[in-house]
């Protein structure tokens, strides 16, 4: 298994697979409206503490809770949730709904402060960028894995693409496209690409911290 981490700005070279921002419209395979996540599409791993029924969003447009585990944002045990994109449409809103469920289950939502709200929004934005990037440059994502340990959330999006995600250098805010991985780099503690020898594709991962 090999891990490729972001290079220093002078070493990146031209962008090979940046996303074109957080917009969910116009991306192949993403659809236009948000839908729920069924238990058949998702799995919960590493759960330890039963969740409260009130932890999930109350909006009728939000997906129903998947699994029964919680890990408060400042808690210790490692929690994880896995979503398969096999035969799914609208994968960006699907991934956002799935991630939002996890944030409620793990105590990142509902947010009590502006900093907590911003941290949760950053997680949703980054998952949108990673999934969008897979749609635009890797024929779509295969799977989303979200794990939470202590105060760090790790997002991993797997695909079968051979490209190497990289922020466009230098970044030009007014130029269309190429902003996805720049956003990921700016918002995350760290990010990188993992490849397994003999296995097609890659996993693009990113880690974000809860507010202090």
């Amino acid at each position: 298994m090999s891990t490729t981490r972001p290079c220093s700005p002078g070493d990146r070279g031209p962008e090979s697979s940046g996303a074109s921002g957080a917009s969910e419209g116009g991306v192949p395979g993403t659809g236009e409206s948000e839908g729920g996540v069924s238990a058949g599409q998702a799995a919960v791993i590493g759960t330890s503490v039963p969740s409260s029924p009130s932890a999930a969003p109350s909006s009728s447009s939000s997906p129903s809770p998947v699994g029964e585990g919680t890990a408060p944002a400042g808690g210790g045990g490692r929690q994880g949730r896995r979503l398969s994109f096999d035969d799914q449409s609208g994968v960006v809103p699907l991934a956002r709904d799935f991630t939002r469920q996890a944030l409620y289950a793990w105590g990142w939502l509902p947010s009590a402060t502006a900093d907590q709200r911003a941290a949760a929004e950053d997680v949703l934005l980054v998952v949108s960028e990673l999934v969008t990037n897979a749609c635009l440059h890797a024929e779509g994502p295969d799977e989303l894995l979200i794990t939470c340990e202590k105060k760090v959330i790790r997002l991993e999006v797997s695909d079968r693409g051979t490209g190497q995600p990289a922020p466009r250098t230098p970044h030009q805010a007014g130029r269309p496209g190429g902003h996805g991985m720049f956003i990921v780099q700016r918002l995350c503690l760290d990010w990188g690409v993992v490849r397994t020898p003999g296995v097609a594709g890659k996993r693009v991962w990113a880690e974000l911290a809860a507010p202090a």
Side-chain angles (χ1 to χ4, degrees):
M1 179 179 295
S2 62
T3 300
T4 305
R5 292 177 180 271
C7 305
S8 62
D11 296 333
R12 286 195 194 100
E15 177 186 13
S16 57
S17 54
S20 58
S23 172
E24 293 170 9
V27 177
T30 60
E32 295 295 333
S33 61
E34 296 196 357
V37 181
S38 71
Q41 299 161 352
V44 180
I45 57 178
T47 57
S48 58
V49 182
S51 62
S52 167
S54 62
S58 58
S59 171
S60 60
S61 63
S62 299
S64 58
V66 178
E68 297 294 335
T70 72
R78 181 176 182 270
Q79 303 288 304
R81 294 187 173 205
R82 189 185 309 271
L83 172 66
S84 172
F85 293 109
D86 288 347
D87 301 320
Q88 298 300 317
S89 60
V91 292
V92 172
L94 185 69
R96 286 177 62 89
D97 283 348
F98 179 75
T99 303
R100 189 180 294 109
Q101 288 182 137
L103 293 177
Y104 272 94
W106 297 337
W108 287 53
L109 288 173
S111 51
T113 68
D115 285 347
Q116 291 173 349
R117 186 180 310 112
E121 289 173 352
D122 285 350
V123 173
L124 294 173
L125 177 56
V126 169
V127 81
S128 294
E129 295 298 343
L130 295 180
V131 174
T132 297
N133 204 56
C135 289
L136 292 175
H137 304 287
E139 300 180 7
D142 289 335
E143 184 180 83
L144 166 65
L145 174 64
I146 312 173
T147 54
C148 180
E149 188 168 9
K150 295 181 180 179
K151 299 183 75 173
V152 174
I153 277 187
R154 181 180 175 101
L155 306 168
E156 298 184 31
V157 175
S158 61
D159 62 58
R160 298 192 183 116
T162 58
Q164 182 66 28
R168 174 178 289 155
T169 304
H171 179 254
Q172 296 176 318
R175 184 176 177 183
H179 307 301
M181 298 312 297
F182 178 79
I183 291 171
V184 171
Q185 177 179 267
R186 290 293 299 269
L187 294 180
C188 295
L189 296 171
D190 201 1
W191 72 274
V193 180
V194 177
R195 300 182 189 275
T196 302
V199 178
K202 61 186 180 296
R203 285 185 291 129
V204 183
W205 60 269
E207 293 181 340
L208 300 94

